Amino acid sequence: MRYFLEIAYKGTQYNGWQIQKNGHTVQGELNRCLSTILRQEIEITGSGRTDTGVHATAQVAHFDYDGELNPDRDAFRFNSFLPEDIAVKAIRPVHSEAHARFDADRRSYEYHVVQHKDPFNDHQAHHHRSALDVEAMNNAAHHLLGRQDFESFSKVHTDVNNFFCDISRAEWKHEGQRLVFHISANRFLRNMVRAIVGTLLDIGAGKSAPDSLPAVIAARNRSAAGKSVPAHGLYLTEVRYPASVYLNE
Amino acid sequence: MRYFLEIAYKGTQYNGWQIQKNGHTVQGELNRCLSTILRQEIEITGSGRTDTGVHATAQVAHFDYDGELNPDRDAFRFNSFLPEDIAVKAIRPVHSEAHARFDADRRSYEYHVVQHKDPFNDHQAHHHRSALDVEAMNNAAHHLLGRQDFESFSKVHTDVNNFFCDISRAEWKHEGQRLVFHISANRFLRNMVRAIVGTLLDIGAGKSAPDSLPAVIAARNRSAAGKSVPAHGLYLTEVRYPASVYLNE
C-alpha cells in the first residue's frame, strides 16, 4: 500500500529535509523511525526539499508499505518514537501511482517577521528592526501574481528547464505579534521565497522604490532582486493534491 | 533615580531568576548588562523569584541609577546588549522608596498546556497527553477564590509566617492550540501554582473526584494535593502596583 504522510517539523536542528550521507535531516529521521516501527525498509519521498533551518507545518511525503496501516494508531506510534521537533499529523492511503512531488498542484509558504525583540522567538521568525510600510509591500506583492518568469529570484546555479511559476497568492498580513507573508504557487524555484521576501522588505523599509518590482522581475537576473532573508522565518504550510490521488477512506 | 524595569524572559536556559554564585541566572545577566552599559554597579531587585525553567512575560524589578535614563533609548540599548532570551519591555521612573517586591499588590501567572505533539513547542508549554474535562477543572478552580490558607500547595520546607493568599482569579481558557490556566493573587507561596495546576489536571483527567478540591485545601498538608507540573509551562505574566509608586512621566 502507498501512503501520504503529513508532517510538521521545526527545521532549526536539521540540515534540511533531504537525506545526506553525513547530515542530520528530517527525511533521514523519518526513514529511520518508520523502518524501525514497521520492521521493513521504508523510504519516503517528499513533495520537495526544504533548506537547512526552514520549518514546515504541513510537508507531505509518500511511502510504500508491504501491509496495511491504521492511520490514527500508527500516527500515534510514529509520534512517540520521533524526536520532539518532528510530528506526524496524518497518514492517508493513496493510489499506488500517487507521487508526493509530481502530483502536487499547489504549494504554500509563509514567511514570519517580528519587529520587536521576542525572548520566545526560538528561531521561529526573522527579527527585522526597521519600520516597514506594509501597504507598499502589499502593492508590490500584487505584481508577483500570475504566470511569469521568476529567474530574478532563483538561485544562480540551478538545473531547472525554465523559471516559470504561476503565483496565485502573495500578501502580507499582521497576525498577532507577527507580520506574515503568504505565498502560493504551482511550483517554486530554489531560494525563491526568501529572495522575494528580501526584495519586498527593501521596499517596505524604503531602500527600494515602491514601484520597482516589475522591473526586478523583467530583469531575469538574480542581482536585480534583494538579498535572501534568513531561513528561520520560512515555513512550508500546505501542499495540495487533486482529490483523485486519495483512496476512499 | 530609582527605576522599575519590566522584563520578559524565556527561562529554559537559566537557573531561575535569583542570582547565585555559580549559576546562570536572569538577575545575574541583567546586573551584568546594566552595570556595563551604565558604567556603574547596578543591582536589581525583582518582584519575586522564578524557579529554573519558568518564563516571564512581565517580571518587574527596581534599581537605582546615579543619573537619569531616557526610557525608550536606554531600553533599546539594554536589548541590544542582552541575550536573545531576555528583553526589556519598559523602563519607568518611580519614587525613591518604591520597591518591586514589597509594593506589588497583585501577581498573575499563566500555565500553558498542549494536548497534541507540537514541534514548535520549545519548552514553552507542558504536553499533557490524556483527555481533560475542562469544565470540571474550572468548577474546581472556583473553590480557590478568596483569602484562604494554601499550605496544601506550598513547598514543605519554607520560611513563610503564614500560608494565607487572596486569590482573585483562577480559570482555564482555550487559547489557540493551548489550554491556559490564569491565576492572580496578592501573593503566592513557593511552588504553589505548579501544585495547584497538578491537582486540577488530576481532576480533569478523572484521577481525582471533581468535588475533591475543598477537602484538599482544608487538609493544609502538601500530600493532600496533586504532583507539581513541570516548570516549562509556567509564566509570570503581570505584577501590579498602586499608581502612586510611579513618578509623573
Side-chain angles (χ1 to χ4, degrees), chain B residues 84-150:
Chain B
E84 273 307 304
D85 50 9
I86 301 179
V88 168
K89 296 172 75 181
I91 302 172
R92 296 181 71 179
V94 293
H95 284 285
S96 59
E97 303 288 305
H99 196 288
R101 180 161 161 220
F102 301 132
D103 287 337
D105 59 18
R106 195 181 65 180
R107 294 162 164 90
S108 298
Y109 283 89
E110 292 178 9
Y111 195 85
H112 291 218
V113 171
V114 285
Q115 297 190 261
H116 295 286
K117 188 175 184 182
D118 174 10
F120 301 98
N121 183 359
D122 275 316
H123 311 283
Q124 295 184 33
H126 170 50
H127 184 190
H128 189 275
R129 281 167 180 80
S130 48
L132 292 169
D133 180 344
V134 178
E135 200 186 326
M137 286 155 62
N138 268 328
N139 289 340
H142 196 74
H143 293 287
L144 296 164
L145 298 178
R147 185 173 184 276
Q148 300 184 71
D149 182 312
F150 285 101

Side-chain angles (χ1 to χ4, degrees), chain B:
Chain B
M1 283 283 292
R2 181 162 288 195
Y3 293 92
F4 271 13
L5 208 55
E6 190 181 311
I7 312 139
Y9 50 87
K10 187 181 181 210
T12 313
Q13 303 296 331
Y14 296 93
N15 299 113
W17 166 266
Q18 188 161 283
I19 203 160
Q20 295 169 15
K21 238 185 178 161
N22 298 309
H24 180 53
T25 68
V26 180
Q27 189 182 23
E29 277 296 316
L30 284 162
N31 282 347
R32 191 175 66 86
C33 162
L34 270 63
S35 300
T36 305
I37 292 186
L38 300 178
R39 293 161 182 263
Q40 58 184 254
E41 182 130 339
I42 302 288
E43 276 185 44
I44 65 169
T45 302
S47 71
R49 57 177 84 168
T50 53
D51 289 336
T52 299
V54 174
H55 315 298
T57 59
Q59 166 74 290
V60 176
H62 75 253
F63 67 95
D64 291 313
Y65 169 57
D66 183 13
E68 209 166 311
L69 297 178
N70 174 323
D72 285 345
R73 194 199 57 195
D74 289 311
F76 184 85
R77 287 168 70 205
F78 296 162
N79 280 328
S80 305
F81 191 85
L82 285 165
E84 273 307 304
D85 50 9
I86 301 179
V88 168
K89 296 172 75 181
I91 302 172
R92 296 181 71 179
V94 293
H95 284 285
S96 59
E97 303 288 305
H99 196 288
R101 180 161 161 220
F102 301 132
D103 287 337
D105 59 18
R106 195 181 65 180
R107 294 162 164 90
S108 298
Y109 283 89
E110 292 178 9
Y111 195 85
H112 291 218
V113 171
V114 285
Q115 297 190 261
H116 295 286
K117 188 175 184 182
D118 174 10
F120 301 98
N121 183 359
D122 275 316
H123 311 283
Q124 295 184 33
H126 170 50
H127 184 190
H128 189 275
R129 281 167 180 80
S130 48
L132 292 169
D133 180 344
V134 178
E135 200 186 326
M137 286 155 62
N138 268 328
N139 289 340
H142 196 74
H143 293 287
L144 296 164
L145 298 178
R147 185 173 184 276
Q148 300 184 71
D149 182 312
F150 285 101
E151 184 167 0
S152 290
F153 303 98
S154 170
K155 248 195 153 60
V156 177
H157 298 291
T158 183
D159 55 0
V160 294
N161 293 322
N162 74 77
F163 299 94
F164 281 91
C165 306
D166 190 351
I167 298 186
S168 50
R169 184 183 185 193
E171 62 172 327
W172 292 89
K173 285 183 128 180
H174 285 285
E175 297 182 7
Q177 297 295 305
R178 296 187 183 177
L179 179 61
V180 179
F181 181 58
H182 297 263
I183 186 164
S184 302
N186 63 328
R187 71 189 278 239
F188 286 94
L189 308 167
R190 279 205 74 181
N191 211 242
M192 176 171 159
V193 180
R194 290 162 60 191
I196 286 175
V197 170
T199 307
L200 294 175
L201 289 175
D202 281 352
I203 290 172
K207 288 188 203 165
S208 306
D211 59 357
S212 57
L213 202 77
V216 171
I217 297 173
R220 297 192 198 171
N221 187 322
R222 179 67 187 83
S223 65
K227 269 198 281 192
S228 276
V229 285
H232 65 266
L234 186 60
Y235 295 73
L236 172 60
T237 55
E238 194 192 15
V239 189
R240 208 185 56 179
Y241 298 89
S244 58
V245 302
Y246 302 105
L247 290 186
N248 293 330
E249 290 170 85

Side-chain angles (χ1 to χ4, degrees), chain A residues 65-227:
Chain A
Y65 169 58
D66 184 13
E68 211 167 307
L69 298 179
N70 175 323
D72 284 346
R73 194 199 58 195
D74 289 310
F76 183 85
R77 288 168 69 205
F78 295 162
N79 280 327
S80 305
F81 191 86
L82 286 166
E84 274 307 305
D85 51 8
I86 302 179
V88 169
K89 296 173 73 179
I91 301 172
R92 297 182 70 179
V94 294
H95 285 285
S96 60
E97 303 288 306
H99 195 288
R101 179 161 163 220
F102 300 133
D103 286 337
D105 59 18
R106 195 180 65 179
R107 294 162 164 92
S108 298
Y109 284 89
E110 292 178 8
Y111 195 84
H112 291 218
V113 171
V114 284
Q115 296 190 260
H116 295 285
K117 189 175 184 182
D118 174 10
F120 301 98
N121 182 1
D122 275 318
H123 310 284
Q124 295 184 34
H126 169 49
H127 183 190
H128 189 275
R129 282 166 180 81
S130 48
L132 291 170
D133 180 344
V134 178
E135 200 187 327
M137 285 154 64
N138 268 328
N139 289 340
H142 196 76
H143 291 287
L144 296 165
L145 298 176
R147 186 173 183 276
Q148 300 184 69
D149 183 313
F150 285 100
E151 185 168 358
S152 290
F153 302 98
S154 170
K155 247 194 154 58
V156 175
H157 297 290
T158 182
D159 56 359
V160 295
N161 293 321
N162 72 76
F163 298 94
F164 281 90
C165 305
D166 190 351
I167 299 186
S168 50
R169 184 183 186 195
E171 63 172 325
W172 291 89
K173 285 182 131 182
H174 285 284
E175 296 181 9
Q177 297 295 308
R178 295 186 183 178
L179 179 62
V180 179
F181 181 59
H182 297 264
I183 187 165
S184 302
N186 63 326
R187 70 189 279 239
F188 286 95
L189 308 168
R190 280 206 71 181
N191 210 241
M192 178 171 157
V193 180
R194 290 161 61 191
I196 286 174
V197 170
T199 307
L200 294 174
L201 288 176
D202 281 351
I203 290 172
K207 288 189 204 166
S208 308
D211 58 358
S212 58
L213 202 77
V216 171
I217 298 174
R220 298 191 196 170
N221 187 321
R222 180 65 187 83
S223 64
K227 270 198 278 191

